[in-house]
């Protein structure tokens, strides 16, 4: 009898909680659905990015590079292009720019090479492509997408991935294209002083983009050189679908940057999307502040854009807080099906930007630069 009662309580709670999923509630909001909207967020890595750590000239250069990437993705979305095209359009200029740890300007492995990783995911059908250990492809994000569209696989590595690239008509780019003095010096300093990669990198320079297009489709992509001095074929989270990249039209699109080992263990990108798809657990609801708890337990409140945005923010913040509890750091960018573009990071700063069809267009570097707070609670 007691068991039957518990089953009824559980079933009632489950159906109540299912209603909390933002996408379900939003399907009824016709006014919102009629207006085609798009949204884009980008990142160029998180880390110890403080005003005293970068010169005014560097700041200007980073802001210009972020703006260039944001503009490239915006151009695609505002002209009705797909979220997938916007993600690659935004990532390519950052892969080509030596300021970021992706493509040209990637960090060096212990053996003194540049080994590149990238992944991309389409929220329409959750098709995905990823590559790791790439040494001769100029834009690894394009190769990851080719794996998605023209191979029966999701994840290719090293020589095999490069053989596939050759067969698909990608040009061979010489290693000198990727190598920069600044990154070589970081590796040498690390070896000479027996420093960790975190000591020399100070920041994670991985790049990523997430987008919502006017047809309501989501996409996410991430590209990186990994971490300075990586050895033994180490692979971080960036090319791992579910860890560094995830997109699902039912919940969100996420791209991460940070200490990859922790992001893999938590499965950060998919964890955030799954929590948004099924709604917060009872424990999570109990942990939220009183006001938010009242809103979140009322399914009707999910037609309120502020509630949808704050739920996405709290969800992302709580997953990033888990990374912190385990001893890791980094951050994410996220776009929801309703078009909210959100950042969450537990580092001092994150190179980032966002734009949308309502006229938002901003780039930022340090914590708390935006008008709306979007950092983790401890900032
Ligand atoms: N997440 C990347 C990795 O662990 C590093 C980064 O974000 O820059 O390989």
């Amino acid at each position: 009898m007691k068991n039957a009662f518990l089953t009824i309580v559980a079933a009632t709670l489950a159906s109540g909680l299912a209603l909390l999923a933002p996408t379900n509630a939003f399907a009824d909001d016709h006014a919102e659905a009629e207006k085609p909207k798009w949204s884009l967020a980008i990142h160029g890595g998180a880390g110890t990015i403080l005003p005293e750590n970068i010169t005014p000239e560097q700041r200007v250069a980073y802001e210009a590079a972020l703006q260039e990437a944001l503009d490239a993705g915006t151009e695609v979305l505002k002209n009705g292009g797909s979220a997938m095209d916007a993600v690659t359009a935004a990532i390519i200029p950052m892969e080509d720019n030596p300021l970021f740890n992706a493509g040209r300007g990637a960090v060096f492995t212990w053996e003194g090479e540049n080994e590149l990783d990238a992944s991309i995911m389409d929220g329409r059908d959750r098709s995905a492509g990823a590559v790791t250990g790439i040494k001769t492809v100029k834009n690894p994000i394009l190769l990851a997408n080719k794996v998605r569209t023209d191979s029966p696989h999701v994840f290719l590595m090293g020589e095999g991935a490069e053989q596939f690239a050759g067969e698909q008509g990608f040009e061979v780019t010489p290693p000198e294209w990727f190598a920069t003095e600044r990154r070589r010096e970081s590796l040498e300093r690390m070896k000479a002083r027996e420093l960790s990669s975190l000591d020399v990198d100070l920041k994670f320079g991985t790049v990523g983009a997430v987008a919502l297009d006017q047809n309501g489709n989501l996409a996410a992509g991430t590209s990186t050189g990994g971490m300075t001095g990586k050895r033994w074929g180490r692979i971080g989270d960036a090319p791992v679908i579910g860890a560094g990249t995830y997109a699902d039209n039912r919940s969100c699109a996420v791209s991460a940057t940070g200490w990859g080992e922790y992001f893999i263990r938590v499965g950060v990108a998919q964890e955030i999307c799954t929590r948004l798809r099924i709604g917060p657990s009872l424990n999570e609801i109990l942990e939220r502040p009183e006001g938010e708890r009242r809103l979140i337990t009322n399914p009707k409140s999910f037609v309120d854009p502020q509630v949808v945005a704050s739920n996405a923010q709290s969800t992302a913040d709580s997953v990033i807080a888990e990374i912190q509890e385990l001893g890791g750091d980094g951050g994410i960018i996220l776009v929801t099906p309703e078009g909210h573009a959100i950042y969450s990071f537990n580092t001092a700063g994150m190179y980032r930007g966002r734009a949308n069809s309502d006229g938002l267009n901003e780039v930022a570097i340090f914590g708390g630069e935006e008008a709306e707070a979007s950092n983790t609670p401890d900032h």
Side-chain angles (χ1 to χ4, degrees):
M1 194 58 197
K2 194 174 162 207
N3 279 350
F5 173 70
L6 284 179
T7 310
I8 291 166
V9 171
T12 312
L13 280 174
S15 57
L17 286 176
L19 284 173
L20 292 179
T23 41
N24 292 352
F26 241 83
D28 298 334
D29 189 10
H30 299 301
E32 288 288 329
E34 274 162 23
K35 189 175 146 211
K37 51 171 89 176
W38 58 265
S39 186
L40 173 70
I42 60 163
H43 71 78
T48 317
I49 307 164
L50 294 163
E52 57 266 34
N53 288 348
I54 80 174
T55 65
E57 293 76 28
Q58 283 171 325
R59 181 176 181 168
V60 168
Y62 273 107
E63 284 174 346
L66 290 168
Q67 192 65 57
E68 184 191 358
L70 196 63
D71 290 348
T74 295
E75 195 59 24
V76 173
L77 293 170
K78 84 171 184 228
N79 291 318
S82 72
M84 288 295 287
D85 285 347
V87 162
T88 52
I91 288 178
I92 288 169
M94 293 192 282
E95 285 184 331
D96 292 344
N97 191 326
L99 287 177
F100 302 104
N101 169 22
R104 184 173 214 189
V107 298
F108 281 85
T109 65
W110 189 258
E111 287 74 27
E113 291 186 301
N114 302 116
E115 278 181 9
L116 314 168
D117 301 333
S119 64
I120 191 162
M121 187 161 183
D122 188 337
R124 271 178 297 203
D125 56 359
R126 280 168 282 158
S127 60
V131 289
T132 184
I134 300 302
K135 296 178 187 173
T136 62
V137 175
K138 185 165 174 265
N139 293 111
I141 194 69
L142 293 179
L143 182 58
N145 199 34
K146 204 67 173 167
V147 172
R148 183 185 74 86
T149 56
D150 288 82
S151 90
H153 305 301
V154 166
F155 201 177
L156 301 183
M157 66 172 236
E159 280 175 23
E162 292 188 338
Q163 187 188 331
F164 172 74
E167 287 169 18
Q168 295 295 325
F170 283 78
E171 269 176 34
V172 174
T173 302
E176 303 80 71
W177 166 258
F178 304 102
T180 57
E181 258 329 292
R182 182 168 73 112
R183 299 296 193 187
R184 200 185 293 281
E185 188 272 326
S186 295
L187 176 68
E188 278 157 17
R189 199 152 36 91
M190 176 188 197
K191 285 185 170 179
R193 299 208 221 142
E194 294 183 15
L195 298 169
S196 75
S197 56
L198 290 189
D199 294 328
V200 290
D201 288 344
L202 282 184
K203 58 184 178 356
F204 308 99
T206 290
V207 307
V210 290
L212 166 76
D213 65 30
Q214 293 188 30
N215 291 318
N217 294 314
L218 295 172
T222 312
S223 181
T224 190
M227 290 171 78
T228 299
K230 61 184 182 179
R231 305 174 87 166
W232 310 298
R234 180 264 187 192
I235 303 169
D237 60 314
V240 177
I241 297 297
T245 301
Y246 203 75
D248 180 345
N249 275 5
R250 299 172 300 176
S251 53
C252 66
V254 173
S255 169
T257 176
W259 197 339
E261 279 69 10
Y262 291 90
F263 280 68
I264 293 175
R265 286 164 60 191
V266 173
V268 166
Q270 186 172 10
E271 176 73 14
I272 294 171
C273 290
T274 302
R275 289 191 195 183
L276 286 179
R277 179 165 59 82
I278 63 180
S281 71
L282 278 178
N283 279 343
E284 282 158 0
I285 291 171
L286 291 174
E287 280 165 13
R288 302 266 173 106
E290 174 80 33
E292 201 180 316
R293 201 187 308 160
R294 230 178 302 118
L295 279 173
I296 215 156
T297 46
N298 174 8
K300 285 198 186 122
S301 66
F302 269 105
V303 297
D304 177 345
Q306 283 316 315
V307 178
V308 176
S310 94
N311 182 49
Q313 185 73 59
S314 303
T315 303
D317 289 349
S318 73
V319 175
I320 292 298
E322 276 188 34
I323 290 284
Q324 183 148 337
E325 278 159 30
L326 295 175
D329 54 2
I332 60 100
I333 51 172
L334 177 156
V335 166
T336 70
E338 299 80 16
H340 302 291
I342 281 161
Y343 318 115
S344 179
F345 49 97
N346 67 358
T347 47
M350 177 160 88
Y351 297 111
R352 59 199 187 277
R354 55 187 175 182
N356 68 24
S357 46
D358 291 335
L360 174 71
N361 186 303
E362 68 180 19
V363 297
I365 297 180
F366 310 114
E369 271 189 73
E370 299 81 14
E372 285 169 52
S374 62
N375 293 341
T376 44
D378 53 342
H379 287 179

